C-alpha cells in the first residue's frame, strides 16, 4: 500500500503560469517532507523541504505548502519556466528513511 | 566534488546471469542508500547503510539480491541469478548525518535490462 501518493502522473503548464504539484500521504508518523526533481538520465536532486511544524516554506520560485490535517502537501512553482520540465517526486520521512511517491511529470511549454 | 558515482550506467544481461552494480558515495557522507525505480512501483528503497553497516534491508525483494559496503567509499548491489522482472533503474544515494532529515544526493543510476 502506497504511503505517499502523487495522483497526477503528468501536468502541462504554459511558461510564466503557476505549476501546482500535489502529494498525499497516509502515515501520520511522517514529520518531514521533501520534493526532488529528476531530469532524464539523471538522478533525483533535492529541491525543497518542509518540517511538520511549519505549513509553508519558500525558496525563490518554489513554495511548498503542508496541510497536516488533510495529510496533503503541494509544490507551487511561480513563474514556471521551460527548464522546470522534469519529473517531480514527493518524499516523506518518519525517522531515518524517505518514502517516495511515484512522481509527476511536469511539462512547461514556451 | 564529483558527486555520487555509479557504474555501469547501462547493463544488459541474460536471465540467470550475475549482475553487480557499483557505487562510490560522496566523500565524508555516512549514509548510503540503494533504490530501485520502476514504472509500477516508483522509487523504492532496497537497503541502507550507516558507517558501512547495513541498517535496514527490508526492501530487498528476494534472497537473490545482496548488498555490501566494504569501506566508506564503495558499495555493491548484486543480483544472482538475475530475472527479467529485475529490469529497472537502480540508484545509489548518500547523505551526511540524519538520513531522514538531510538531503540525499543521488547518483545518475544504472539502467538494468535482463532479457
Amino acid at each position: 500500500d502506497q504511503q505517499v501518493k502523487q495522483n497526477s502522473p503528468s501536468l502541462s503548464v504554459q511558461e510564466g503560469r503557476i505549476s501546482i504539484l500535489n502529494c498525499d500521504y497516509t502515515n501520520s508518523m511522517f514529520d518531514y517532507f521533501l520534493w526532488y526533481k529528476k531530469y532524464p538520465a539523471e538522478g533525483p536532486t533535492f529541491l525543497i523541504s518542509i518540517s511538520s511544524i511549519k505549513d509553508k516554506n519558500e525558496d525563490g520560485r518554489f513554495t511548498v505548502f503542508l496541510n497536516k490535517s488533510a495529510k496533503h502537501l503541494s509544490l507551487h512553482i511561480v513563474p514556471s519556466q521551460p527548464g522546470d520540465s522534469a519529473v517531480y517526486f514527493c518524499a516523506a520521512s518518519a525517522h531515518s528513511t524517505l518514502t517516495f511517491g511515484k512522481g509527476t511529470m511536469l511539462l512547461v511549454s514556451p | 566534488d564529483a558527486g555520487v558515482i555509479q557504474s555501469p550506467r547501462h547493463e544488459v544481461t541474460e536471465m540467470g546471469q550475475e549482475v553487480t552494480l557499483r557505487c562510490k558515495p560522496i566523500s565524508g557522507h555516512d549514509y548510503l542508500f540503494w533504490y530501485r525505480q520502476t514504472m509500477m512501483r516508483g522509487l523504492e528503497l532496497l537497503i541502507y547503510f550507516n558507517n558501512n553497516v547495513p541498517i535496514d534491508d527490508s526492501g530487498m525483494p528476494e534472497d537473490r539480491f545482496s548488498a555490501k559496503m566494504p569501506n566508506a567509499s564503495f558499495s555493491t548491489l548484486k543480483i544472482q541469478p538475475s530475472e527479467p522482472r529485475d529490469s529497472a533503474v537502480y540508484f545509489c544515494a548518500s547523505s551526511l548525518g540524519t538520513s531522514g532529515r538531510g538531503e540525499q544526493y543521488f547518483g545518475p543510476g544504472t539502467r538494468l535490462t535482463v532479457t
Side-chain angles (χ1 to χ4, degrees), chain A residues 49-96:
Chain A
S49 62
I50 187 168
S51 166
S52 60
I53 62 173
K54 296 184 176 181
D55 56 15
K56 176 183 175 181
N57 188 26
E58 191 172 353
D59 184 2
R61 297 186 297 113
F62 302 90
T63 302
V64 55
F65 296 91
L66 175 63
N67 182 332
K68 282 192 299 182
S69 61
K71 293 189 176 67
H72 176 84
L73 65 155
S74 61
L75 174 68
H76 293 211
I77 306 174
V78 183
S80 301
Q81 298 174 355
D84 296 329
S85 297
V87 176
Y88 289 79
F89 290 97
C90 170
S93 170
H95 294 290
S96 55

Side-chain angles (χ1 to χ4, degrees), chain A residues 31 36 41 43 93 96-97 102, chain B residues 9 40 48 99-101 104 107:
Chain A
D31 61 356
Y36 280 76
S93 170
S96 55
T97 61
K102 288 188 177 182
Chain B
R9 292 295 309 274
M40 288 296 294
Y48 79 97
S99 60
R101 298 292 184 270
Q104 293 185 15

